[in-house]
Amino acid sequence: MKVLVTGANGYIGKRLIGSLLDLGYEVVCLVRDLERFDESKFFLEPEGIEISAVDDIGGEPLMTSVQHRKREMLSVIQGDLLKPNTLSSIPKDIDVAYYLVHSMTAIGGKDFTDLEIECAENFVKAVKDTNLKQLIYLSGICNAKELSRHLGSRLRVEHVLEKGDFALTALRAAIIIGSGSASFEIIRDLVEKLPIMLTPEWLETKCQPISIKNVIDYLTGVVMKEEAFNQVFDIGGPDVLSYREMLIGYAEARKLFRIMLPVKLIAPGISAFWLNFITSTNYTLAKNLVDSLKNEVIVEKRGIEKIVPIQCFPYQIALQRAFSVISKNSVISSWKDAFNEMSTNITRQFIEIEVPKFGCLFDERLVEFTREISEVKHNVWMIGGKRGWYYWDWAWSIRGMIDQIFGGVGLRRGRREDTRLKPGDALDFWRVLVADDNNRHLVLFAEMKLPGEAWLEFKLDQKDGKNFLTQRATFRPYGLWGRIYWYMLMPAHFFIFGGMAKRIVSFQK
């Protein structure tokens, strides 16, 4: 059986693919950028070296389930649902497809609700002449009479997909709890960082959180089940909790003492700004999340338990599974991996790769060193996150705070893994464009608020028996203000970039 997965680079998509391969399905992944898809995590490494990653889908080392996987069962095709002419590569002989495309941010001036409808319509047209029998759509629980823009958009997409020449199975999920999920990471940020929290009224809204493992169980369990054709099911865990109770439950699981003070008069805009400032989300996403949290997401449309009879994990167990994965530094996917609205030019950069040279301003440092080149490369690959930026970390922190105040991502995202980088990874307020191990070349693209575009590049070379680190900051300004911004910061850049390059080659731990 051949299965198409849209949104294969997303949080759910990355975790679903391995389970589908384990079940023996031939999987076709539709992605916007082939460079961002890393298929190595699903198979044995070269020379039979076992993969050490652990996932909270199964809670065990991935090798326990991937030893039998065959590379020929996985293929990747490139296509953008906003560009219908790129979808001709979708195979005609697909039997089942997953629709996992979702957005809560605007792109190119278009509202996200319109973009979601456009994507769904283009998908329905693209698969019209295929053998597709069943489409499985992961949505959100939307039983309230008045829905938030986010949940309303999800429902509108469902109505578009219902018009296709296939059987639609819609699974409407509550809050998903798993390592790297947006809901889990926001709860984590709030509880870990704030010993005292002012809790607005919307935190008393009820929800029914569900473990990521159970979501994957349901997604795979309904495949070609005729009793699930043209049906809608709500999926949630056994616990019905308020968001406040979820925060308390997290604190208890981590043995943290937290004080929560209920406050009635906190405007949604202020709540969104606070989430943007404290958590890893940006303001636009935070605003849509706060808007959605006014709607109860409790299971009403039942019946899935008869088709896929599984035992769903309670909230505390779902948390413990996520903690286990995080402690092993084995988070295989994160909501932060997705591009945000500040990265509208980044897709072009992934395709072209070349950092621009014309109309740009530069700060370049060349540092010679006598250490093993592999040791310095390790330092470069460890940059950001817990390691920091090697020099004047306090200045980087201030820049991150300023970015958050103006609605940017700040430094809160950290990095997905401490030691490995791959194209597409979020790295504090940068995005990894190139992480070439063989050529020892790392390129980062700035996602902070800037009057221009910025790149930070590291290259390690050997010339005439000597080792060199080339570090280059490139800035393409937007008009006069962009140039003023650059020259105002030149004194700070002199110390920060110079100190960072020297520290990278000398740092030892």
Side-chain angles (χ1 to χ4, degrees), residues 134 167 222-231 307:
Q134 181 189 24
V222 297
V223 171
M224 293 305 291
K225 296 285 182 65
E226 291 189 7
E227 57 267 46
F229 286 6
N230 299 313
Q231 297 295 322
I307 302 171

Side-chain angles (χ1 to χ4, degrees), residues 164-413:
D165 296 328
F166 43 73
L168 176 66
T169 300
L171 301 182
R172 298 176 177 176
I175 302 299
I176 298 175
I177 302 298
S179 60
S181 77
S183 303
F184 174 80
E185 294 297 338
I186 289 172
I187 292 170
R188 183 185 178 197
D189 278 343
L190 288 172
V191 179
E192 297 282 355
K193 295 177 181 178
L194 299 175
I196 301 176
M197 282 181 269
L198 301 180
T199 56
E201 285 184 303
W202 52 261
L203 276 182
E204 300 302 326
T205 304
K206 298 291 185 180
C207 63
Q208 204 161 339
I210 182 170
S211 164
I212 177 62
K213 172 174 169 44
N214 296 144
V215 173
I216 300 299
D217 287 341
Y218 282 134
L219 285 170
T220 56
V222 297
V223 171
M224 293 305 291
K225 296 285 182 65
E226 291 189 7
E227 57 267 46
F229 286 6
N230 299 313
Q231 297 295 322
V232 175
F233 303 104
D234 292 343
I235 58 175
D239 297 324
V240 177
L241 305 168
S242 69
Y243 293 107
R244 181 175 178 273
E245 290 171 328
M246 289 176 66
L247 293 173
I248 293 172
Y250 182 100
E252 291 174 347
R254 289 280 288 115
K255 296 181 172 57
L256 298 171
F257 177 73
R258 293 294 181 260
I259 297 173
M260 298 189 185
L261 304 175
V263 179
K264 290 187 177 181
L265 301 176
I266 296 183
I270 296 176
S271 296
F273 179 82
W274 186 242
L275 279 180
N276 168 62
F277 192 73
I278 295 297
T279 72
S280 303
T281 183
N282 59 61
Y283 179 77
T284 304
L285 180 57
K287 188 172 182 296
N288 285 313
L289 285 172
V290 170
D291 185 40
S292 297
L293 294 180
K294 297 175 185 177
N295 289 140
E296 285 195 345
V297 282
I298 298 175
V299 171
E300 293 183 10
K301 299 183 183 302
R302 301 182 182 276
I304 188 69
E305 63 278 359
K306 296 179 181 179
I307 302 171
V308 187
I310 63 171
Q311 189 69 36
C312 287
F313 294 118
Y315 178 60
Q316 284 294 330
I317 299 299
L319 287 177
Q320 293 301 330
R321 293 176 69 89
F323 294 152
S324 175
V325 175
I326 293 168
S327 68
K328 295 178 176 65
N329 193 33
S330 300
V331 181
I332 65 170
S333 69
S334 169
W335 72 281
K336 301 173 189 175
D337 297 337
F339 294 112
N340 61 31
E341 78 278 8
M342 289 178 287
S343 309
T344 54
N345 294 321
I346 199 168
T347 301
R348 171 175 52 78
Q349 294 303 327
F350 265 97
I351 296 172
E352 297 179 2
I353 292 300
E354 292 289 335
V355 177
K357 298 178 180 178
F358 300 102
C360 296
L361 303 167
F362 305 95
D363 183 292
E364 185 170 309
R365 312 285 167 154
L366 182 66
V367 182
E368 181 183 350
F369 59 93
T370 57
R371 299 176 63 186
E372 289 292 331
I373 199 166
S374 60
E375 295 177 0
V376 178
K377 175 187 170 295
H378 177 74
N379 285 344
V380 172
W381 254 244
M382 288 284 289
I383 199 166
K386 295 177 183 176
R387 175 66 63 88
W389 294 86
Y390 291 104
Y391 191 79
W392 279 15
D393 268 352
W394 59 268
W396 288 91
S397 297
I398 291 174
R399 182 61 180 89
M401 291 176 62
I402 293 172
D403 192 51
Q404 286 179 245
I405 290 171
F406 286 93
V409 295
L411 295 176
R412 302 153 299 164
R413 298 186 304 186

Side-chain angles (χ1 to χ4, degrees), residues 83-152:
K83 300 176 181 178
N85 61 322
T86 67
L87 303 178
S88 58
S89 57
I90 295 178
K92 302 296 183 184
D93 58 345
I94 54 172
D95 301 293
V96 177
Y98 286 90
Y99 194 84
L100 306 175
V101 179
H102 182 36
S103 173
M104 283 204 290
T105 55
I107 299 177
K110 287 189 177 182
D111 184 79
F112 78 89
T113 58
D114 295 329
L115 292 171
E116 290 208 316
I117 295 301
E118 187 177 341
C119 285
E121 291 174 342
N122 290 338
F123 176 81
V124 171
K125 293 176 183 177
V127 299
K128 186 179 177 67
D129 296 325
T130 70
N131 296 327
L132 180 62
K133 302 175 182 65
Q134 181 189 24
L135 177 67
I136 301 169
Y137 170 50
L138 182 62
S139 182
I141 292 179
C142 46
N143 297 320
K145 293 182 180 180
E146 294 185 12
L147 296 173
S148 66
R149 292 179 68 244
H150 162 225
L151 291 176

